[in-house]
Amino acid sequence: MSLEVIPSIDISEGKAVKRIKGQRGSGLILGDPLRIAEQIYSEGYKKVHLVDLDAAEGVGNNEEIIKMICKEIGFEHTQVGGGIRSLDKAQKIANECSFIVLSTLPVANRETFEKIWSEVGKDKILLSIDYNEQGDVLIKGWKERRKIKVEEILSFDVYGFIFTYVPKEGTKSGIDESVKKYVNITKGVKEYAGGVSTIEDLMKLKVFGFDYAIIGMSFYNGSLRGVKVV
């Protein structure tokens, strides 16, 4: 079994950015998302993870840029998250990309989630479990904490799950090694994001049983750029 690397492009106000722990104004401003997506594709990456940070925070959206990345560059696998909280939006994005990424809805609006599950289809849905040190789930752009544990989200029947450890997101400080306790009780595709910085981190995730590692800061600063599979 191998673990594949998926670069991420986080978009805010029309620019690709890489925040630290999700904090607006922190981290890097990378520039034109389309140009960055073209570079990633030209370097041989076939998959990309896209996040509309403005939509996640309810302060706008970058849908047209994301649509262009999904439709025009050539990626065989695109996953899009950030602010998908209605059936209409879920259907629109699902028609443009390979997978939609949901995080807030299963926790905050079960009825709408079930409509999306029924209409869009479970095989188009990735659930991102964004969690903190206590294992509590964070929603609405990581700004709201719910007393819901990671394990409670794993019962949903979807294509796969993304475990996003928010305290290490954008820090390059290593993965959350306690995430391994969730792998054996997770059905479907398993992805991890948060703090991935070295080949050793990737090897640990591979041993834990993950299929994909989503990388951002360690990709853009060059430490893992070029690594595709371990």
Side-chain angles (χ1 to χ4, degrees), residues 1-7 45 47 161 163 175 179 183 189-193 196-215 218 224 226-230:
M1 175 182 162
S2 61
L3 176 131
E4 187 172 351
V5 169
I6 303 180
Y45 291 91
K47 300 177 173 64
F161 296 85
F163 294 84
I175 63 171
V179 74
V183 174
V189 168
K190 293 172 275 290
E191 306 186 20
Y192 176 87
V196 181
S197 60
T198 64
I199 292 291
E200 287 74 23
D201 288 334
L202 295 175
M203 291 303 297
K204 286 176 184 175
L205 292 170
K206 176 182 176 179
V207 170
F208 293 168
F210 280 92
D211 301 291
Y212 300 109
I214 298 170
I215 64 171
S218 59
L224 285 177
V227 179
K228 299 180 180 68
V229 179
V230 295

Side-chain angles (χ1 to χ4, degrees), residues 6-23:
I6 303 180
S8 68
I9 304 175
D10 301 346
I11 306 172
S12 177
E13 299 178 344
K15 297 181 179 68
V17 301
K18 191 59 205 171
R19 296 177 181 173
I20 298 171
K21 301 180 183 179
Q23 297 301 311

Side-chain angles (χ1 to χ4, degrees), residues 145-175:
R145 179 169 66 98
R146 291 292 180 95
K147 283 291 185 182
I148 296 173
K149 297 299 184 183
V150 170
E151 294 91 336
E152 297 176 60
I153 307 295
L154 294 176
S155 60
F156 289 99
D157 181 18
V158 293
Y159 180 77
F161 296 85
I162 303 170
F163 294 84
T164 302
Y165 188 55
V166 175
K168 294 205 172 191
E169 179 66 22
T171 66
K172 302 179 296 177
S173 60
I175 63 171

Side-chain angles (χ1 to χ4, degrees), residues 55-117:
E57 295 177 342
V59 295
N61 72 74
N62 299 275
E63 289 180 16
E64 286 306 310
I65 295 171
I66 288 171
K67 179 180 179 180
M68 291 172 71
I69 293 172
C70 291
K71 289 289 192 182
E72 297 181 12
I73 292 178
F75 290 107
E76 66 183 30
H77 171 127
T78 53
Q79 42 187 250
V80 176
I84 303 174
R85 296 173 191 146
S86 70
L87 176 59
D88 286 348
K89 183 163 184 174
Q91 289 175 319
K92 179 181 178 182
I93 294 178
N95 286 334
E96 298 166 356
C97 70
S98 308
F99 302 96
I100 59 171
V101 180
L102 304 178
S103 57
T104 295
L105 267 187
V107 174
N109 191 331
R110 183 72 171 265
E111 182 180 354
T112 299
F113 169 75
E114 289 178 351
K115 286 180 182 177
I116 293 171
W117 187 92

